Amino acid sequence: MADTNQSALLELFPSLEYDYPDLGDALPFAQPSTQVRIHDIQGTGLRSLRENQAVTNVPGIVTAVDSNGFYLQDPNPDNNAATSEGIFVFTGSRPTVRIGDSIQVSGIVSEFRSGGDFNNLTTTQIGGSPTITILSRGNALPATRIGAGDRTPPTEVIFPSGVFFYESLEGMRVTAQDVVAVSPTNIRANSSELWAVLDQGAGATGINSRGGITISPNDFNPERIQIDDRLFTNFSNPPVNVGDLLGDVTGVIGYGFGNYQFLVTEPYFRTAGGLQPEVTHLTGTSDRLTIASYNVENLNPFAGVRFEGLASHIIDNLKSPDIIALQEIQDNNGAINDGTVDASLSYQFLIDAISAAGGPTYQFFDIAPENNQDGGQPGSNIRPGYFFNPNRVGLVPDSVRRIVDTDLSDGDAFEASRKPLVATFTFNGQAVTTINNHLTSRGGSTPLFGDPNQLPTIRGEQQREDQARIINSEVDKILATNPNA
C-alpha cells in the first residue's frame, strides 16, 4: 500500500527525490513486548508498529498536562533522530500526575485520528485505561531545540520531508529558537493560533515584503510552524501581528485539524515588529476614478465595533474610493436560518459608520441570492454588492445583473457559489463596467500535512476554473460590443 501511494505522489511531485522511510503500517503478527521505551513505540513511521499491543512500565517525565491526558517524554533518548521520545497518554479525564513527575505507564498503544477525518494523520498514544506509577516528583524537564545549529525543518517539500521531520518530534517538549510571526493571531471560541518561522526567518523560503510567507509551485513552506496557546496557557499569550518577534518558544508537538501543532506550555514575550496597514497612493480627482475591492468577512448588523474599523479602512487606507466592490455581505439577521435574504441593514450600518467618521455617504445595491443557494454560512446568504459615491459617479439604469452558467449540460459552475455581479457606472461622460467576483470556496480541501494514503485534493479547483472561463467570456462579449470599453 505504501509503495503504491509513494508512486502516485511522485507522479504529482516528480521533483521529489527522497529515501522514503516505512510509513508504519501496523504488523498484525508482531509480538507484544512486556517493557519498551517511548522511542520503541513511536518507531520511524507515521504509525506505531505496536498499535493495539499492551506495553508495560514505559518510563518518562511528565512534560504537560491536559484535560484528558498528559505528555510523557523519555529523558534518555536513543541515538536515532527519526524516533520521537515523546508520547501522549490518554486517560479520558484530568490526570493526577504533575509536570516534572517521573513515572511508569502501562496500557494499550493506539493511533488517534483527530476529528474522525481520514484525511488527517494519526497521533500515537498510550490509552486503554492506563495504570500509572509515580516514582519521583520535581524532575528537570527534557527539551529539544529546533533552529539554526540544532535540528531544522525542511523548507520546501511537505511530504515526505516535512511530515517526517515533525513526526520525529511528535509528543516531545521542544524549544523553537528565535521565532518570528508570519501571520497574526487567529482567535476563535476554542482556539488561538498563529504561524511562525524560526531564526527570525533566516533560511526560510518565500518570506515576502510584508513579512508573511508565500507558497510557490514547488514550495509549500514546511518550515512554518503553527503555534497554539489555548491548551496550556489559556490564551495568556499576547495577540501577535505579522513580523512580531517572540524569542524562544517552548511547547509540545501535537497534531490536529490537519496540521502539526506547537502546543505552547510556557508564556512567551512579544516584541512588536512594527508592521502597519498599507495606505493607497491612489486618490480620486476630477479626471481619475478610483475603484476598490474589499471582502468584509461575513458582515451583518451584529458586527458591533467592526463597523468602525471597516469605516476607518475605507476612509484612511483606501482613501474613500468612488466605487467599492464588496464581498461577503450577510443578510439582515446574519446566520439565523429563517429565509431572510435582504441585506439592507448590513449595508446601511456600514454606510452610517463611514459617514459618521467623515467619509462620503455611499449608496448601495446588490441582487439578493435565493435562500441558501450561494454558499457561505447556512442562513447567512453572503453576496457581492456595491457601494458608490453618487457625488462622483452615476449608476447606469438596468445595467446591474448577475452572471450565471447558461450551459448546464456539464453541471452548474456557480452551484452553491456566489454569482458575479455586473454593473456599469458613468464618470466624466464615460461608461465603466465592473464585474464583482467572489469565486467558490476552497474550504474542505484536504490538509497539506495529511495522510499520505489520501492523495491531496483542492476543493473547488475545477469549479473555480469553470467560473473564470464564464467570466472571461462575459468580458469578451463586452469588448466585442465596444473594443474601447
Side-chain angles (χ1 to χ4, degrees):
M1 179 174 64
D3 289 341
T4 300
N5 179 64
Q6 290 162 5
S7 298
L9 284 163
L10 283 171
E11 290 180 7
L12 285 175
F13 307 108
S15 62
L16 288 184
E17 294 183 2
Y18 191 83
D19 183 15
Y20 290 85
D22 184 358
L23 294 182
D25 296 320
L27 300 180
F29 302 111
Q31 296 299 313
S33 174
T34 56
Q35 184 174 13
V36 296
R37 303 189 81 88
I38 292 173
H39 49 251
D40 299 319
I41 298 171
Q42 288 282 13
T44 60
L46 298 180
R47 300 177 72 100
S48 174
L49 296 180
R50 299 176 184 270
E51 186 176 356
N52 300 321
Q53 294 181 9
V55 291
T56 304
N57 296 332
V58 179
I61 306 292
V62 177
T63 58
V65 177
D66 203 353
S67 61
N68 62 351
F70 59 92
Y71 288 88
L72 187 69
Q73 185 166 334
D74 194 329
N76 299 304
D78 63 5
N79 293 320
N80 187 354
T83 59
S84 171
E85 301 293 342
I87 198 166
F88 185 71
V89 179
F90 177 74
T91 57
S93 59
R94 189 79 182 182
T96 57
V97 297
R98 305 173 190 169
I99 294 174
D101 285 356
S102 175
I103 67 173
Q104 290 181 336
V105 176
S106 300
I108 306 297
V109 176
S110 62
E111 293 287 341
F112 173 73
R113 199 184 299 270
S114 61
D117 185 345
F118 283 91
N119 292 310
N120 288 337
L121 293 171
T122 61
T123 299
T124 305
Q125 61 184 23
I126 300 174
S129 300
T131 59
I132 300 165
T133 302
I134 298 176
L135 304 178
S136 63
R137 290 195 145 140
N139 294 278
L141 302 182
T144 297
R145 293 184 67 86
I146 56 174
D150 294 286
R151 298 172 65 173
T152 57
T155 60
E156 295 182 359
V157 177
I158 285 182
F159 184 84
S161 308
V163 166
F164 280 99
F165 173 82
Y166 293 107
E167 184 69 15
S168 72
L169 298 168
E170 181 186 79
M172 292 177 61
R173 181 174 182 264
V174 172
T175 295
Q177 178 177 288
D178 215 2
V179 170
V180 60
V182 293
S183 84
T185 303
N186 181 22
I187 300 177
R188 293 175 286 183
N190 60 353
S191 67
S192 171
E193 70 264 353
L194 62 101
W195 292 93
V197 294
L198 308 175
D199 303 312
Q200 295 191 26
T205 57
I207 298 295
N208 57 48
S209 61
R210 294 287 289 170
I213 191 166
T214 307
I215 66 169
S216 59
N218 296 309
D219 183 355
F220 277 75
N221 309 126
E223 69 268 39
R224 66 181 191 136
I225 57 176
Q226 187 184 68
I227 295 177
D228 191 317
D229 73 353
R230 65 184 172 87
L231 289 181
F232 305 115
T233 60
N234 195 28
F235 302 99
S236 62
N237 287 318
V240 166
N241 198 7
V242 175
D244 288 357
L245 303 176
L246 309 182
D248 290 354
V249 179
T250 298
V252 292
I253 302 296
Y255 182 93
F257 305 103
N259 287 296
Y260 286 95
Q261 298 173 312
F262 196 91
L263 306 173
V264 177
T265 56
E266 301 171 16
Y268 53 77
F269 301 95
R270 177 183 70 93
T271 301
L275 182 68
Q276 296 297 317
E278 291 180 293
V279 176
T280 184
H281 65 278
L282 301 176
T283 56
T285 65
S286 60
D287 60 354
R288 175 181 288 177
L289 176 72
T290 56
I291 304 175
S293 179
Y294 194 174
N295 186 315
V296 290
E297 295 186 349
N298 292 319
L299 188 67
N300 61 57
F302 312 113
V305 296
R306 276 194 65 206
F307 286 108
E308 297 175 8
L310 294 173
S312 175
H313 293 170
I314 289 169
I315 297 170
D316 299 328
N317 299 88
L318 296 177
K319 301 300 183 185
S320 300
D322 301 319
I323 301 168
I324 307 176
L326 300 164
Q327 299 88 39
E328 292 201 20
I329 296 288
Q330 291 192 345
D331 61 37
N332 286 342
N333 59 15
I336 297 175
N337 196 356
D338 64 355
T340 299
V341 296
D342 178 51
S344 57
L345 293 178
S346 302
Y347 289 108
Q348 194 61 52
F349 280 25
L350 182 52
I351 288 173
D352 292 344
I354 295 169
S355 180
T361 300
Y362 286 104
Q363 293 183 9
F364 76 89
F365 64 89
D366 67 16
I367 297 178
E370 296 180 37
N371 187 47
N372 286 330
Q373 295 302 303
D374 282 14
Q377 191 175 11
S380 66
N381 293 303
I382 58 173
R383 83 288 305 275
Y386 284 94
F387 280 175
F388 69 98
N389 183 348
N391 294 324
R392 294 273 297 163
V393 298
L395 176 63
V396 175
D398 302 323
S399 69
V400 181
R401 61 185 177 89
R402 299 205 303 173
I403 294 176
V404 297
D405 189 348
T406 58
D407 179 7
L408 303 181
S409 61
D410 57 351
D412 185 355
F414 292 102
E415 181 180 2
S417 178
R418 282 71 55 184
K419 283 68 176 175
L421 190 62
V422 183
T424 300
F425 300 89
T426 56
F427 176 76
N428 277 357
Q430 298 185 50
V432 177
T433 299
T434 62
I435 303 177
N436 184 354
N437 306 304
H438 185 195
L439 303 189
T440 192
S441 171
R442 283 181 173 168
S445 300
T446 55
L448 294 176
F449 283 91
D451 190 330
N453 295 310
Q454 309 292 328
L455 294 180
T457 59
I458 302 175
R459 181 184 177 275
E461 186 173 30
Q462 183 59 55
Q463 188 178 5
R464 281 187 172 214
E465 291 182 3
D466 294 340
Q467 291 175 347
R469 275 192 289 270
I470 292 172
I471 295 167
N472 179 256
S473 177
E474 292 287 335
V475 172
D476 289 343
K477 292 176 184 176
I478 294 171
L479 292 174
T481 302
N482 177 11
N484 295 318

